[in-house]
Amino acid sequence: MKRTVAIALTLLVIVALMVLWGAEPIQRSTVADEKILLLLTNNDTGWFFLQLREGAQAACQNQGALLRTLVISSDSLPAQLGSISADAALVFVSQEEDRAMVQHFLQENAIPYRMILDGDEGTIHMDERGGAMQLARIIPSNHTLVSVYTDEDAAVSERMLGALDYMGDRAPVKVTPGETLPASLHFARACLALDAEATRYIVDAKERGLLPASLLLFGYDTVETRVKDLESGTVYAMLMPEPYTLGYNGALASMTGQMRPSPLGRVITKRTMFLSRNVRLVFPLIQTD
Amino acid sequence: MTNKSRGYSLYIILLVSFIVVAFTVLLFLFVTLGPRVSSLMRQNAVDRIRETVQQSASGFTQYTDSLQSTMQFALSILPDDPEADDSWHEKMGFLKVSMPEISAIAVFDEEGTPFYTTAGQLRGSQMEVNQEDWFLRAREREGIITYFSPPHVQSLFDSQYAYVITLSRGIRYIQEGQQRLGVLMMDIYYTQFSRLVNRVKLGDSGYAFVVGPDDSIITHPRMSQIDLNLFNEDLRPVADTIIGLSDAKKGGRDSVYVIHSLDRTRWRLVGIAFVDEISQLQTSFRRMFVVALISAALLAAGIALVLTRLIMRPLTVLGATMLKVQHGDLNATMREGGFNEIRVISDTFNDMLYQLRELMDQIVQEQEKKRLHELNALQAQINPHFLYNTLDSIIWMEERGKSQESIRMVSALAKLFRISISKGRNEITVREELEHVTNYLIIQKMRFKEKFVYTIDAKEDALPLRTVKLILQPLAENVLNHAIDETLGEQLHLRITAYTEGDDLVFTVGDDGVGIPEEKLATLLTAPSGQSGIGLRNVHERIQLTYGRRYGLHIQSAEDEGTLITIRLPKYTGGKA
């Protein structure tokens, strides 16, 4: 009889445990479960950063993570780093020394991170070469083309490579704001400006009548005057950067290690500047979500 | 007799039967009810999603209706000839100010020249306005229906860019005496629409969005990602569907598309819910159902176990009791308990056992009685040798002229017979028993002369007590028969005593003969008849048959020292103890 009671009790205990297990409420993710992505920057103003953060925010939302932003300053950087608590980090710091210190800290603390930095492999950046190719591709082939730049940094070098296919053996011409226009520009029917300063330089020249209005200018984002320049036709086409995509890709890569292709940027013309799909690029502060 | 061919245990059969029946019932319930309930729950979840989308669509429609009303109000402000006076400009401006969601209001003539705008000068030429899609669509509808444009940046006005949805409607006005078709335009901030859709939540990650008649996306919670090609919304499941449900895979997950038309705008609200989320309750239920099933099965097994034990236990006890009886334990009884049927079997078995015991007792008693009679009869017989020897001694004495001795011997013999007969009584007093053995010893003393001497000591209180008769004489005879022969000429001392001890009457018969060997002593009272010591065994058996197992003979002996036989009897003076 004792054995029977023991068996019956054991069965009852099993049943009770099973009922408890079965009645366990459905687990939902809570804030405590959320991973934290830390966006580190030394400048949280400007439309570029705002869009970048928005992109990172969207990726975090898709991943069920929380985005926090830390604006660092060189003076208090060690103290700021000491207070960091994050599962992953996205670094958008322009100052090299600060960037190096942040990178060192993240590596020491085994926090996965990605840096938004031009050119370096493994970083999040625009595909400058591909973007330049894209921009150059719409230049009519029967137009005499002159390519100009102001300062050859890593991005501009990449753009040069991208544009070379369309320029034949003519190398880009370096221009300096405030100085005389290169002679070749006077014979050109199309100009490819490989950086924003060079674009501004040609726009000024056209506006001042130093270059003909018919000169088709293909340039890079002039930010403040982009709408006016495009709408007036001073700039025929402009390659817009995609900070939102950089933020999105960077956040995703930091959290999951998944690298998406670098964005090319988007070529905008007067005809396409008001299209719904380009609104975010041309009018970055307009809310579309 | 044991039945060696053992079949299946009834216990196992009952247990297995109970469990199989319980499991079959539960399995049947699981198989029949489970999928049905699960399907109903899924249907219920889908219905809830559909209701949510329907409610959202209803809210959206209410908003567009209110915008329609605003357009209607604006139309009512417009005079037949907009150029005749400009008093309506102020009213239109007031309307714009009173509704913050309005970005701009403008009225155009049929060429696209503005009569009035709330946003100041136009940036472009009038030719461009009349080529705008919203302008053309409004004129197509001839003022009957309001056209809702896709979202776009409104670039008409100088120094003003707004992301809007343009509502436009044809207006009939009089110019130069002729009726013409112009356009009333009202720009509504896009966020007013997107907010309505973005707040729709379907499950954990389900969402809603609006598609236009050409399957272009009007508003979407991830519009930025769509614009930047970071996310692609597959519109195939909603293509050509105005209203209804559609199932599709989305990102490897089963999803349900709920499509609802938005009146007047020709847009459609699409809700996407993921099956794994909407079926969380279903999954939970399924788990609960399985748990309940297993629990019920375990409980059923437990109950079956207990029930089977309950049924089987009395039967097991009955079987064990029967086995005891089979092995000779007739005192075993079956304890009452269990079900009525088992109780009846138990009672019947106990009655049967009782009757069997009674019968056995009766047989034993009869056997004992018979044996006692036999022993008594045997005891009452006079040993022919003794009688022959005594008579021979008497003759011998007569021939020698020892008539006094012969008279004494004859007298002793006569008393011996008288007491032996005792009028047929089986019990006599201790006094008579002692007299009987005394007479025997007198006769034997006359025969054996100096070969032995004897003494008889009896306590006074023992003399009137009663005893089975003829128990001392066989013992004395046994001493004389064995001890005298083995003393090798030494005189044997025989001592008989009688006394009481507690509730017992005690006789002792002791001698100083050679004693009884140890191995013989051990079996003297238990050896089968036919072997030596039969006289002792008869006396012992008679006492035990008469008074019980507690009484009888006890023999102590040491080689070359002698033997002491103790006879223990119940102490009583009349009747049976």
Side-chain angles (χ1 to χ4, degrees), chain A residues 3-4 7 11-12 14-15 18 21-24 26 28 58 62 227 231 244-245 248 260 266 274 276-277 279-281 283 286 288-289, chain B residues 123 151 153 155 161 163 190-191 194 198 204 221-225 227-230 280 284 287-288 291 294-295 298-299 302 305-306 309:
Chain A
R3 199 174 56 177
T4 309
I7 293 169
L11 288 174
L12 275 175
I14 293 170
V15 167
M18 292 197 70
W21 175 76
E24 186 190 353
I26 298 161
R28 289 179 190 280
N62 291 350
V227 176
E231 216 174 4
Y244 185 99
T245 309
Y248 188 92
R260 290 173 57 89
R266 192 174 288 178
F274 295 119
S276 179
R277 67 170 186 274
V279 167
R280 177 158 291 276
L281 298 171
F283 305 94
I286 278 184
T288 59
D289 285 339
Chain B
R123 180 183 294 114
V153 175
S155 59
Y161 301 97
Y163 196 50
Y190 166 79
T191 48
S194 62
N198 291 355
D204 280 347
R222 297 172 77 177
M223 201 70 193
S224 297
Q225 293 163 50
D227 286 344
L228 294 168
N229 300 322
L230 294 171
Q280 260 185 342
S284 177
R287 191 167 70 167
M288 276 300 295
V291 166
I294 296 172
S295 303
L298 288 175
L299 272 178
L305 189 71
V306 172
R309 284 265 175 171

Side-chain angles (χ1 to χ4, degrees), chain B residues 436-500:
Chain B
H436 180 261
V437 74
T438 304
N439 287 315
Y440 172 74
L441 289 172
I442 287 170
I443 293 167
Q444 293 294 54
K445 179 70 180 169
M446 290 171 80
R447 280 185 60 211
F448 292 106
K449 303 292 182 190
E450 297 308 316
K451 283 189 177 179
F452 77 94
V453 289
Y454 70 90
T455 56
I456 296 175
D457 293 327
K459 297 289 180 188
E460 201 57 36
D461 62 332
L463 295 177
L465 297 177
R466 297 186 75 84
T467 174
V468 283
K469 66 181 181 184
L470 309 187
I471 56 173
L472 295 175
Q473 180 270 325
L475 270 56
E477 185 180 349
N478 194 61
V479 170
L480 296 180
N481 284 350
H482 294 96
I484 286 178
D485 292 344
E486 292 163 5
T487 47
L488 300 173
E490 287 184 24
Q491 190 177 45
L492 178 78
H493 292 89
L494 174 66
R495 185 167 184 263
I496 296 172
T497 63
Y499 57 92
T500 59

Side-chain angles (χ1 to χ4, degrees), chain B residues 48-97:
Chain B
R48 273 191 286 118
I49 296 291
R50 185 151 55 180
E51 273 173 28
T52 307
V53 172
Q54 201 171 340
Q55 281 172 5
S56 304
S58 175
F60 200 95
T61 304
Q62 275 179 15
Y63 182 65
T64 54
D65 282 351
S66 74
L67 293 176
Q68 289 264 33
S69 302
T70 307
M71 283 290 276
Q72 198 66 42
F73 179 72
L75 279 174
S76 69
I77 292 170
L78 278 175
D80 288 342
D81 183 355
E83 289 178 318
D85 73 281
D86 57 3
S87 60
W88 58 275
H89 291 186
E90 193 182 347
K91 291 177 184 171
M92 210 63 94
F94 181 74
L95 176 63
K96 193 262 172 193
V97 172

